[in-house]
């Protein structure tokens, strides 16, 4: 098993970041322009990146603290993986702990996604700090 | 043990990227402005980021294919880790496989460094493709 982990300090409140990682408007603004999402337990969020179709079931929703998804439809290597966002306020900033966990192995796809996730998290940081992200 | 892995496609030749990850001029242009480095086996490269002093012993040098370092002095969690850059030409571009391996555990520092490495590798990509990087 292999996990992608990124810690990012964001100059924004946990409330703002929680909105960005749980609502359709938020997720469209920094990750995926073609998003269907609802902050409801069990709802299946859909993210479409060109030819790549992804379904993520919402498994955790702790307001302003954490959300998590289980990947139920995507490329083969993503199916069964989990994605989580954990938020901790620290000195007027927020530490985001991001995990894309439960990969079967640290493959080339894993390493490419690890790089891509960092750039998307930079987009999330930019969206939360300035109002503008760089979604795909 | 835990490894940081990033795969990045760079629109440049392996020769250009190898120069960027082995020479003082190259490393200063995308990673660390305060660098002492030589592409010589056993040479100890020095990278200074403000209060952070890092010594990396050059362990591998395969021209235009691979270089690797062993971290011999740095923050405690980095000592004994290894950093490598592997290059593979593909359809006129180059796939860089970056690894910062042999961490004792996937700690908060690991996750913060994972994010930071991605941004520095984006800087390396930018330097190789456009001539301008964003070193620290």
């Amino acid at each position: 098993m292999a996990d992608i982990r990124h810690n990012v300090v964001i100059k924004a409140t946990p409330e703002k970041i929680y909105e960005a990682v749980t609502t359709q408007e938020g997720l469209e603004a920094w990750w995926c322009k073609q998003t269907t999402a609802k902050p409801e337990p069990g709802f299946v969020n859909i993210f479409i990146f060109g030819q790549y179709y992804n379904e993520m079931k919402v498994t955790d929703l702790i307001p302003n603290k954490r959300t998590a998804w289980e990947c139920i439809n995507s490329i083969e290597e993503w199916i069964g993986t989990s994605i989580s966002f954990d938020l901790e306020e620290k000195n007027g900033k927020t530490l985001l702990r991001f995990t894309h966990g439960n990969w079967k192995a640290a493959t080339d796809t894993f390493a490419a996604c690890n790089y891509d996730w960092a750039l998307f998290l930079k987009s999330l940081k930019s969206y939360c700090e300035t109002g503008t992200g760089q979604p795909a």
Side-chain angles (χ1 to χ4, degrees), chain A:
Chain A
M1 289 292 180
D3 296 339
I4 288 170
R5 291 179 190 276
H6 290 286
N7 281 13
V8 189
V9 175
I10 300 177
K11 296 182 205 79
T13 61
E15 289 75 10
K16 173 65 187 171
I17 303 165
Y18 186 77
E19 172 268 331
V21 299
T22 57
T23 69
Q24 179 161 323
E25 185 188 352
L27 289 159
E28 283 175 346
W30 67 270
W31 193 35
C32 176
K33 289 175 191 165
Q34 266 193 277
T35 289
T36 304
K38 279 190 189 174
E40 289 178 12
F43 189 82
V44 176
N45 292 342
I46 298 172
F47 304 98
I48 301 172
F49 298 89
Q51 65 180 305
Y52 296 106
Y53 179 90
N54 300 280
E55 289 185 334
M56 304 283 182
K57 187 176 175 182
V58 178
T59 57
D60 294 42
L61 280 170
I62 305 172
N64 309 323
K65 292 280 187 192
R66 170 181 170 85
T67 191
W69 311 325
E70 179 192 347
C71 180
I72 59 176
N73 193 0
S74 182
I75 58 171
E76 192 277 333
E77 287 191 71
W78 277 40
I79 295 173
T81 62
S82 56
I83 290 173
S84 60
F85 301 83
D86 287 277
L87 305 173
E88 184 182 348
E89 196 163 11
K90 279 194 174 182
N91 309 316
K93 300 175 185 174
T94 302
L95 172 61
L96 163 65
R97 291 185 178 91
F98 169 86
T99 304
H100 185 174
N102 221 26
W103 289 68
K104 288 186 187 125
T107 61
D108 271 342
T109 304
F110 172 95
C113 290
N114 186 32
Y115 178 72
D116 289 342
W117 270 124
L119 301 193
F120 280 119
L121 295 172
K122 186 168 191 292
S123 168
L124 168 62
K125 176 179 166 75
S126 173
Y127 169 62
C128 293
E129 293 181 353
T130 72
T132 305
Q134 295 82 39

